[in-house]
Amino acid sequence: MDLGRLPYADGWAEQVRVLGARLAGEVGDTALIVEHDPVFTVGRKRGAAANVIAPGSIPVVEVERGGDVTFHGPGQVVVYPVFALEGRDRDLHGWLRRLEQLCFEVLAEFGLSGTRDPRGTGAWVNGRKGGSIGIACRRWVTWHGLALNVSTDLDHLVGINPCGLDASVYTTMERELGAPVPTEAVKRAFAARLGAW
């Protein structure tokens, strides 16, 4: 479900609504796809708040997901799969690897090779981090998810140590390709793959 562009609070509220419905068995697995207005979100990792250095006018929001601080903003595709992990799929580390693989498949569609990196969970391209992943889980239903930088203004990252790393480690699809990438096409690529899960 493409939510368009929303303030973070509105996207979070929609996640909570869908999570409640999924837990109650009122809906099936649902993926929310969105772009956010600029925001820094701080996960549950110990010391994450210390990685917010100089946020300036960008709001800082503490959230339920694991991980450190990250940036969301225009030009970044954010995917929130509200999915029930059942049977053999009740493996949170396995779920993180599955989300990484989803990013790799989308990157490949645009001619980029995504990889894993020991510096942290996510999608890495040419030694730089292009996609971040952080999840929460309630009664084996996951929420929060992944963010892939398509044409994100990385200048926003100087206000934080994203995922505890130096901001210079980050990249976008457009930077790696040296050409424009339509955000809507990336959203469609994610939607197509998630629809087959």
Side-chain angles (χ1 to χ4, degrees), residues 12 51 53 55 62 76 93 119 168 182:
W12 179 85
N51 283 317
I53 303 164
E62 292 188 8
Q76 181 189 73
H93 291 288
R119 288 173 283 182
S168 65

Side-chain angles (χ1 to χ4, degrees), residues 92-102 104 116 121-122:
L92 294 181
H93 291 288
W95 181 244
L96 292 172
R97 301 295 81 78
R98 196 168 172 195
L99 293 178
E100 286 175 331
Q101 185 61 39
L102 174 62
F104 301 160
R116 293 184 173 93
T121 299

Side-chain angles (χ1 to χ4, degrees), residues 2-196:
D2 188 347
L3 302 179
R5 179 170 163 179
L6 290 176
Y8 185 80
D10 293 348
W12 179 85
E14 182 63 7
Q15 278 193 85
V16 170
R17 185 192 71 75
V18 174
L19 175 67
R22 185 68 186 93
L23 286 165
E26 298 166 358
V27 299
D29 291 340
T30 303
L32 306 175
I33 302 175
V34 65
E35 278 182 89
H36 286 304
D37 296 336
V39 64
F40 295 127
T41 63
V42 182
R44 295 189 321 262
K45 183 176 181 180
R46 181 180 297 213
N51 283 317
V52 179
I53 303 164
S57 62
I58 297 177
V60 178
V61 180
E62 292 188 8
V63 294
E64 307 85 354
R65 63 164 173 78
D68 212 306
V69 61
T70 197
F71 171 76
H72 295 306
Q76 181 189 73
V77 174
V78 181
V79 181
Y80 298 126
V82 183
F83 279 37
L85 303 184
E86 299 173 337
R88 294 184 313 181
D89 291 330
R90 286 194 171 183
D91 175 355
L92 294 181
H93 291 288
W95 181 244
L96 292 172
R97 301 295 81 78
R98 196 168 172 195
L99 293 178
E100 286 175 331
Q101 185 61 39
L102 174 62
C103 286
F104 301 160
E105 291 172 9
V106 169
L107 288 166
E109 184 168 324
F110 293 86
L112 292 168
S113 178
T115 60
R116 293 184 173 93
D117 190 283
R119 288 173 283 182
T121 299
W124 296 73
V125 182
N126 298 324
R128 290 178 285 276
K129 193 168 186 181
S132 299
I133 297 172
I135 63 168
C137 187
R138 186 176 299 167
R139 295 188 354 234
W140 291 106
V141 175
T142 67
W143 55 311
H144 293 277
L146 66 89
L148 186 62
N149 296 328
V150 180
S151 59
T152 315
D153 181 355
L154 298 178
D155 287 345
H156 291 302
L157 298 184
V158 300
I160 60 172
N161 291 324
C163 299
L165 302 168
D166 189 273
S168 65
V169 170
Y170 279 72
T171 193
T172 68
M173 293 174 68
E174 288 194 349
R175 178 179 286 182
E176 296 305 315
L177 288 168
V181 179
T183 304
E184 293 304 314
V186 177
K187 287 182 175 183
R188 287 192 298 272
F190 273 116
R193 281 161 180 77
L194 286 159

